RNA sequence: UGGGGAGUCGCCAAGUGGUAAGGCAGCGGCCUUUGGAGCCGCCAUUCGUAGGUUCGAUCCCUACCUCCCCAGCCA
């Protein structure tokens, strides 16, 4: 039912906004194309580190990397930045590939920074021979001390002027595993007094006797990001290397290595990373939520991960449209969650099949309806899409309606059912509340109504207007379903806004998950995992992978806009 | 404090010398057998602040203020 992009096909069936609005990155590319730079070629890359799952912030980068290349007929590689074996795992590379494809993109080349370890090693030897790199025996602590501070220049390492021969010998022995982790590093010889800290003889290689997810035990020295990233771009002939703002400081080093090596001049551009209200985006924090069991996993529907959003029922189209609606600038901003939700609703409204489900059931007995009669009511599957057709829903004497749709004492502007009042049952009849049945505590447990036989939907005499239409299910035919109602994972717009001594965990929303047992219409009997529906008047829901033929499980993707809730809220605040 | 980046409506964001686009949110109204969707309208005399240049400045100049990034052998 849902038109998800298939791996191998090009994106993008957008629902609205253009894929790439004008922005400074796009302008830079147009400029380069105009001047004939790189022979009019555009090539980008998406370079995730496989140390966690992709999140909505990555989606923005992916849409930019792939979208921009696609717009100008270029290529985009997926390259795993796997230079730190202590944090990277195969599980993550697989999850990342799945998520990129789910989002609707297919890479041209699939690479790993580790593919370039040998080349990087040879280039390091060249830099040593050129007198531009040296083996340093300082410990990590000493290296920090020698680096100086933001305002004071650093001091040269006592090992800075070793002979080329000694450096060559030592570096080879580092590679051969003769030295312990942390005992030595290979450093670029640049300028310990540079105001740009990344120029103060940056570490190029560290010793790590660690098994690597791809190279196994072939290496015990691993290149640092700054020594690997630009060269990897260069090797792949990337023309426009797009990354986030915090790498601005690294751009000079990126260029320095490329210049020293005299290799293809890839160019780095920085844009603002996406931040969203009510969530955290750092992989470190997301990892912690997972490891401490505060969520059910990386794909918990409350997580801002692509796998979490997928499970929640968000669509790739909605995420892409959201990303396209975002600005690309150098401002550090925080986008409101409502903007993402708008695009989720927009896409689901067009594509989700309507269905009736009562989340918090209240029994209704139609006192003047024949005891054993069952009528088949015809319902429209999607008013936004005539081709979706219609279906039949059983109607009978005993029904369930939403508890919220009945008030014994109706507040002002309340149009739904209350004693003596009428409402229409969607695709059914107009009913009138005659009396209520209460339990020992005085709670209304049953509502007795009469129905108007002339008001059957679609009938010749069905045009009588009533203030409201509510949804319902036939008690005898309804199916039970577990429904997981999600709210934001954090209670504050900015989860990091905490008291002294606390951290973001303190802002976890205790009500981010509420589990209900709902009554749903029988057509949902064989609903397949992943299928998305609109429960009329309630919101969008999708079938969770936990769902089985015997026990339906739905996740609430997002509620519908609720004007009544707003009116009532306002009345209470007044 | 040194270096780098940024400050335009509640949020995101165009515009970059000629008198403030758009989206989200919000607020009115229309329509409606989803209080959904849709449609219409409203929503910055003002562009961090203070000076200056100019016939004219958000766009140029000067100073100041605020925020973000950099002192991992993380990326």
């Amino acid at each position: 039912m849902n038109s998800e992009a298939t791996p191998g096909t090009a994106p993008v069936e957008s629902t609205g906004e253009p894929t790439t609005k004008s922005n400074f990155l796009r302008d830079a590319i147009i400029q380069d194309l105009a001047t004939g730079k790189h022979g009019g070629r555009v090539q980008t890359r998406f370079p995730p580190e496989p140390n966690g799952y992709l999140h909505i912030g990555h989606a923005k980068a992916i849409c930019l990397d792939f979208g921009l290349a696609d717009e100008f007929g270029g290529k985009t590689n997926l390259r795993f930045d796997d230079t730190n074996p202590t944090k990277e795992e195969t599980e993550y590379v697989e999850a990342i590939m799945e998520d990129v494809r789910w989002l609707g993109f297919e890479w041209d080349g699939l690479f790993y920074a580790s593919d370039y370890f040998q080349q990087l090693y040879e280039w390091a030897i060249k830099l040593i021979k050129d007198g531009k790199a040296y083996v340093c025996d300082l410990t990590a602590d000493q290296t920090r001390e020698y680096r100086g501070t933001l305002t004071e220049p650093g001091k040269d390492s006592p090992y800075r002027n070793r002979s080329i021969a000694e450096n060559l010998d030592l570096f080879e022995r580092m590679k051969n595993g003769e030295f312990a982790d942390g005992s030595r590093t290979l450093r670029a010889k640049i300028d310990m007094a540079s105001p740009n800290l990344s120029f103060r003889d940056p570490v190029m290689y560290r010793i790590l006797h660690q098994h690597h997810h791809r190279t196994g035990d072939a290496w015990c020295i691993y290149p640092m990001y700054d020594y690997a990233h630009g060269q990897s771009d260069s090797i792949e002939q990337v023309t426009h290397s797009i990354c986030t703002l915090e790498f601005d400081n690294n751009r000079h080093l990126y260029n320095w290595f490329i210049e020293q090596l005299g290799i293809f001049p890839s160019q780095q551009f920085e844009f603002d990373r996406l931040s969203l209200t009510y969530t955290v985006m750092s992989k470190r924090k997301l990892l912690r939520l997972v490891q401490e069991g505060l969520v059910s996993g990386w794909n918990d529907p409350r997580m801002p991960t692509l796998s979490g959003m997928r499970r929640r029922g968000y669509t790739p189209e909605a995420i892409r449209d959201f990303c396209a609606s975002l600005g690309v600038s150098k401002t550090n901003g925080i986008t409101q969650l409502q903007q993402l939700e708008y695009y989720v609703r927009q896409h689901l409204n067009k594509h989700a099949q309507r269905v009736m489900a009562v989340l918090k059931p209240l029994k209704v007995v139609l006192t003047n309806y024949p005891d054993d009669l069952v009528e088949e009511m015809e319902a429209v599957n999607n008013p936004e899409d005539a081709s979706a057709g219609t279906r039949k829903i059983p109607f009978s004497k005993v029904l369930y309606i939403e508890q919220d749709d009945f008030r014994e004492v109706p507040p002002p502007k309340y149009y739904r059912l209350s004693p003596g009042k009428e409402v229409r049952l969607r695709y059914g009849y107009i009913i009138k509340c005659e009396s209520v049945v209460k339990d020992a505590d005085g709670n209304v447990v049953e509502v007795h109504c009469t129905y108007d036989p002339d008001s059957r939907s679609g009938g010749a005499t069905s045009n009588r207007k009533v203030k409201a239409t509510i949804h319902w299910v036939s008690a005898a035919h309804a199916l039970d379903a577990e429904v997981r109602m999600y709210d934001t994972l954090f209670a504050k717009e900015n989860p990091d806004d905490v008291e002294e001594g606390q951290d973001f965990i303190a802002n976890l929303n205790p009500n981010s998950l509420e589990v209900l047992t709902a009554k749903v219409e029988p057509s949902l009997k064989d609903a397949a995992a992943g299928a998305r529906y609109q429960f009329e008047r309630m919101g969008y829901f999708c079938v969770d992978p936990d769902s089985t033929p015997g026990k339906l499980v739905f996740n609430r993707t997002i509620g519908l806009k609720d004007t009544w809730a707003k009116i009532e809220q306002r009345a209470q605040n007044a």
Side-chain angles (χ1 to χ4, degrees):
Chain A
M1 53 165 284
N2 295 291
S3 57
E4 293 188 3
T6 315
T9 62
V12 165
E13 177 249 321
S14 170
T15 58
E17 306 282 321
T19 316
T20 321
K21 287 198 301 193
S22 175
N23 61 63
F24 77 97
L25 293 176
R26 191 166 173 278
D27 293 343
I29 290 174
I30 290 171
Q31 181 67 241
D32 289 343
L33 252 21
T35 61
K37 192 170 179 178
H38 304 306
R41 195 171 55 83
V42 175
Q43 186 170 323
T44 61
R45 103 269 88 120
F46 174 60
E49 181 188 12
N51 67 341
Y53 281 56
L54 259 25
H55 54 61
I56 184 74
H58 291 110
K60 176 177 179 179
I62 291 169
C63 288
L64 242 22
D65 287 329
F66 285 87
L68 250 12
D70 191 57
E71 179 176 356
F72 296 102
K75 294 187 183 312
T76 304
N77 291 336
L78 171 61
R79 183 178 69 240
F80 288 97
D81 221 333
D82 57 351
T83 57
N84 184 357
T86 66
K87 293 184 176 172
E88 296 147 7
E89 296 173 22
T90 302
E91 174 200 346
Y92 297 131
V93 344
E94 285 164 359
I96 289 168
M97 291 195 285
E98 181 183 1
D99 288 345
V100 171
R101 286 188 163 129
W102 175 74
L103 234 205
F105 298 99
E106 185 62 34
W107 47 89
D108 289 286
L110 172 62
F111 300 108
Y112 296 79
S114 54
D115 293 340
Y116 312 133
F117 281 176
Q118 181 60 33
Q119 175 65 266
L120 257 10
Y121 176 74
E122 286 164 19
W123 277 335
I125 289 172
K126 171 180 162 53
L127 290 175
I128 291 172
K129 287 178 176 169
D130 290 347
K132 292 167 182 165
Y134 64 96
V135 172
C136 181
D137 300 359
L138 254 27
T139 64
D141 285 345
Q142 291 170 323
T143 302
R144 188 181 316 117
E145 286 165 24
Y146 275 73
R147 188 157 29 231
T149 69
L150 293 179
T151 53
E152 304 156 15
K155 298 180 297 194
D156 284 0
S157 162
Y159 306 98
R160 198 172 200 260
N161 294 310
R162 288 218 249 232
S163 69
I164 288 173
E166 186 181 8
N167 281 322
L168 251 17
D169 173 61
L170 254 17
F171 185 49
E172 180 169 4
R173 290 164 61 193
M174 276 171 65
K175 179 205 173 206
N176 291 340
E178 292 185 31
F179 309 122
D181 286 5
S183 61
R184 283 178 228 265
T185 56
L186 180 73
R187 296 225 259 164
K189 190 188 287 188
I190 308 182
D191 177 9
M192 290 306 291
S194 173
N196 180 346
L197 298 253
S198 68
F199 264 54
R200 321 246 265 224
D201 288 11
V203 171
M204 294 163 60
Y205 274 94
R206 73 289 215 186
I207 301 172
L208 246 30
H209 290 268
Q210 270 279 340
H211 189 82
H212 184 278
H213 75 111
R214 298 200 84 229
T215 60
D217 299 309
W219 298 86
C220 63
I221 57 172
Y222 291 93
M224 298 288 290
Y225 167 84
D226 284 311
Y227 182 65
H229 202 92
Q231 289 93 307
S232 297
D233 284 343
S234 182
I235 289 168
E236 293 174 20
Q237 307 269 301
V238 167
T239 57
H240 300 265
S241 180
I242 300 166
C243 64
T244 44
L245 249 30
E246 69 274 22
F247 290 98
D248 197 316
N249 296 305
N250 305 252
R251 186 179 62 249
H252 305 280
L253 229 202
Y254 177 105
N255 292 147
W256 190 85
F257 281 119
I258 284 178
E259 281 162 23
Q260 299 311 310
L261 264 10
I263 56 181
F264 181 82
S266 294
Q267 203 180 329
Q268 176 180 304
F269 298 84
E270 310 85 21
F271 72 96
D272 60 323
R273 128 196 326 276
L274 170 68
S275 295
L276 270 187
T277 54
Y278 296 105
T279 194
V280 293
M281 219 67 104
S282 100
K283 279 199 266 184
R284 202 206 100 241
K285 288 175 185 162
L286 296 177
L287 212 213
R288 197 168 146 208
L289 292 172
V290 173
Q291 288 183 332
E292 294 185 12
L294 298 167
V295 293
S296 67
W298 285 98
N299 71 341
D300 185 299
R302 294 165 295 183
M303 291 281 271
T305 51
L306 296 182
S307 55
M309 291 182 170
R310 174 165 65 238
R311 185 168 181 181
R312 171 92 171 237
Y314 283 24
T315 63
E317 293 89 341
I319 293 173
R320 274 190 244 124
D321 286 347
F322 166 67
C323 289
S325 80
L326 256 17
V328 182
S329 69
K330 284 177 177 284
T331 319
N332 282 97
I334 302 174
T335 298
Q336 295 178 327
L337 219 213
Q338 294 94 302
Q339 191 164 343
L340 205 209
E341 295 180 333
Y342 170 83
Y343 288 97
V344 173
R345 287 196 184 97
Q346 179 181 272
H347 187 246
L348 257 13
N349 175 50
K350 288 283 190 295
H351 301 279
Q353 177 176 147
R354 272 59 170 176
V355 103
M356 292 206 280
V358 175
L359 268 24
K360 294 180 179 174
L362 173 62
K363 185 179 285 186
V364 169
V365 178
L366 303 183
T367 53
N368 61 337
Y369 195 86
D371 286 353
D372 300 319
L373 180 62
V374 175
E375 293 184 82
E376 293 288 317
M377 303 310 207
E378 184 168 57
V380 172
N381 286 334
N382 186 347
E384 302 289 326
D385 177 10
S387 72
T390 61
R391 68 185 185 289
K392 301 286 192 194
I393 304 174
F395 184 93
S396 64
K397 183 183 182 77
V398 182
L399 312 168
Y400 288 114
I401 65 168
E402 210 67 58
Q403 286 171 19
D404 277 351
D405 289 337
F406 174 82
R407 291 292 175 83
E408 190 174 17
V409 182
K413 299 261 183 60
Y414 186 83
Y415 302 153
R416 282 110 94 151
L417 199 62
S418 56
K421 294 289 173 48
E422 287 185 317
V423 292
R424 171 172 288 285
L425 294 177
R426 173 142 245 225
Y427 302 124
Y429 296 94
I430 289 172
I431 61 171
K432 180 178 184 180
C433 173
E434 307 288 358
S435 62
V436 300
V437 177
K438 296 184 181 182
D439 65 12
D441 299 323
N443 301 310
V444 174
V445 293
E446 213 171 290
V447 178
H448 284 12
C449 299
T450 50
Y451 83 111
D452 172 1
D454 291 334
S455 66
R456 210 237 232 226
S457 283
T461 54
S462 70
N463 284 334
R464 192 154 69 84
K465 302 289 182 194
V466 287
K467 275 289 205 179
T469 297
I470 65 175
H471 59 98
W472 52 275
V473 292
S474 167
H477 308 270
L479 271 23
D480 282 342
E482 174 177 323
V483 177
R484 299 171 182 170
M485 305 288 278
Y486 297 104
D487 195 357
T488 55
L489 223 206
F490 293 94
K492 281 190 180 173
E493 280 202 2
N494 173 12
D496 289 317
D497 176 18
V498 291
E499 307 269 302
E500 211 19 68
Q502 297 194 118
D503 64 16
F504 73 107
I505 299 297
N507 283 143
L508 240 18
N509 176 5
N511 305 313
S512 62
L513 171 60
E514 180 186 7
V515 180
L516 303 175
T517 298
K519 296 286 186 182
V520 307
E521 66 169 68
S523 73
L524 251 13
K525 184 172 183 300
D526 299 312
R532 294 181 270 250
Y533 299 91
Q534 181 195 101
F535 287 0
E536 293 220 23
R537 301 205 310 130
M538 303 310 287
Y540 296 99
F541 294 77
C542 74
V543 181
D544 190 82
D546 287 347
S547 200
T548 62
K551 188 195 181 195
L552 289 166
V553 179
F554 290 92
N555 294 317
R556 180 173 67 179
T557 306
I558 187 164
L560 250 25
K561 282 211 290 189
D562 191 344
T563 304
W564 164 245
K566 198 179 287 181
I567 293 170
E568 194 173 34
Q569 186 64 34
R570 208 184 293 159
Q572 282 172 9
N573 293 340

